[in-house]
Amino acid sequence: MKVLAACDPLPRPECTDYETVRRAIEFISNTYRSQPSLSEVAEAVSLSPADLEALFRRWSGLTPKAFLQAVTIDKARELLGQGASLLDAAFDVGLSGPSRLHDLFVRHEAMSPGLYKAKGEGIDLAHGFVDSPFGRALVVASDRGLAYIGFSEGGEAGDALALEDMRRRWPRARFRQDEAAVAPYAARAFDPAEWARERPLRVVMIGSDFEIRVWQTLLSIPVGGATTYSRIAESIGAPKAARAVGAAVGRNPISFVVPCHRVIGKSGALTGYHWGLSRKRAMLGWEAGVLARA
């Protein structure tokens, strides 16, 4: 049976939409206080209003307006104050609930402290680039499971930066380019139809003891949910370590699967993201669409 990466070798439309979606998100993020109209957003990305709405529905299952309401900073503040999940914003715009959704169930393990201290020496890692709903992704796997997901901004320079970021984490590991080896992991990570508890996605975490505790906590945040750095610090028994938690979240090596994008600031602001704030907004909005379709 043919195994596909996150998208087919001839990418489906939703896999090539991200660049336009990213530009739309950036425009919306810069102008959301004035609540730009569909026509204004469409003009900013050189599309007709009908084409922009069709693109958003194809990519996330949401209209541009619903997407904006799902990820706006004001909405995040409101949700945080009420102790609710991001999905509750979806109900405000007429979306259905998640009754048939199975969260991505991840079976995780940590590399030994010795391997971490040895900076990956003795580890064999396969890597390859795939198309994803959030742009070009770099996926890395060991014989024990998925070890890394990062993103490239495209082109040789973007790919080189993504590879450099990845190699810096395990400078002594042995790397080989092997798209076939990472394709099944990419498909499992980015295709909601593959998110099933009976077939958990295996991930292997390589980090300090503190980092791994933080990353394990991230895995408990459900699709459509959100938490704060301070709440994570409290949950791991280090209530005064919110800043250290933030640093560990920023070093998360398995983007999207280990959902650091679901962590927001205490004020409700979406705060930064290693792979760009527009991509973080895209992930949150896309997940709202996944819930809406469930």
Side-chain angles (χ1 to χ4, degrees):
M1 183 177 74
K2 182 180 179 182
V3 177
L4 302 181
C7 301
D8 300 343
L10 294 176
R12 299 189 300 272
E14 61 268 28
C15 296
T16 57
D17 286 340
Y18 174 71
E19 178 56 31
T20 303
V21 168
R22 181 189 63 78
R23 289 162 49 214
I25 291 170
E26 290 179 351
F27 178 81
I28 290 170
S29 300
N30 291 330
T31 62
Y32 79 95
R33 291 187 184 280
S34 65
Q35 292 294 291
S37 67
L38 177 63
S39 295
E40 290 171 323
V41 180
E43 182 179 359
V45 296
S46 303
L47 289 177
S48 70
D51 285 342
L52 178 65
E53 184 148 336
L55 180 149
F56 263 84
R57 286 187 180 278
R58 179 171 67 240
W59 179 77
S60 69
L62 301 176
T63 65
K65 179 179 179 180
F67 186 97
L68 169 63
Q69 291 181 332
V71 298
T72 181
I73 293 175
D74 284 344
K75 178 59 69 174
R77 287 198 182 98
E78 178 185 335
L79 291 172
L80 183 62
Q82 296 173 354
S85 74
L86 288 177
L87 177 59
D88 289 332
F91 287 119
D92 292 341
V93 292
L95 303 180
S96 61
S99 60
R100 297 189 302 276
L101 179 75
H102 293 281
D103 282 353
L104 174 60
F105 187 74
V106 178
R107 177 182 297 161
H108 62 274
E109 63 175 298
M111 286 287 189
S112 69
L115 281 174
Y116 169 68
K117 291 179 181 178
K119 300 184 184 299
E121 186 172 4
I123 302 176
D124 291 299
L125 295 172
H127 68 81
F129 285 96
V130 303
D131 289 313
S132 83
F134 316 110
R136 187 166 168 81
L138 174 61
V139 179
V140 179
S142 74
D143 58 358
R144 294 162 63 177
L146 178 67
Y148 179 90
I149 293 180
F151 294 94
S152 166
E153 295 306 320
E156 291 184 7
D159 287 0
L161 285 173
L163 284 166
E164 179 183 351
D165 181 89
M166 179 267 292
R167 291 177 182 272
R168 187 167 56 242
R169 298 169 186 269
W170 313 293
R172 297 179 183 170
R174 292 185 293 267
F175 294 97
R176 73 179 191 279
Q177 184 173 349
D178 191 341
E179 279 76 10
V182 303
Y185 292 102
R188 294 291 309 283
F190 295 119
D191 184 354
E194 296 294 325
W195 299 356
R197 290 182 179 273
E198 62 271 18
R199 293 185 295 107
L201 173 63
R202 293 180 59 201
V203 301
V204 58
M205 299 175 177
I206 305 175
S208 68
D209 289 341
F210 181 82
E211 288 171 339
I212 288 172
R213 286 166 62 199
V214 171
W215 300 340
Q216 288 172 334
T217 303
L218 295 178
L219 287 169
S220 68
I221 309 171
V223 175
T227 193
T228 65
Y229 302 102
S230 56
R231 286 179 179 174
I232 293 175
E234 291 172 1
S235 72
I236 63 174
K240 297 182 179 180
R243 188 178 297 272
V245 165
V249 169
R251 289 192 291 269
N252 168 33
I254 313 178
S255 179
F256 185 68
V257 170
V258 179
C260 53
H261 60 283
R262 298 177 195 157
V263 184
I264 60 179
K266 190 174 183 179
S267 69
L270 295 187
T271 68
Y273 185 61
H274 184 71
W275 300 107
L277 196 53
S278 290
R279 188 171 272 112
K280 180 173 183 172
R281 289 190 175 96
M283 289 178 176
L284 292 171
W286 187 84
E287 287 181 338
V290 169
L291 292 174
R293 295 192 298 268

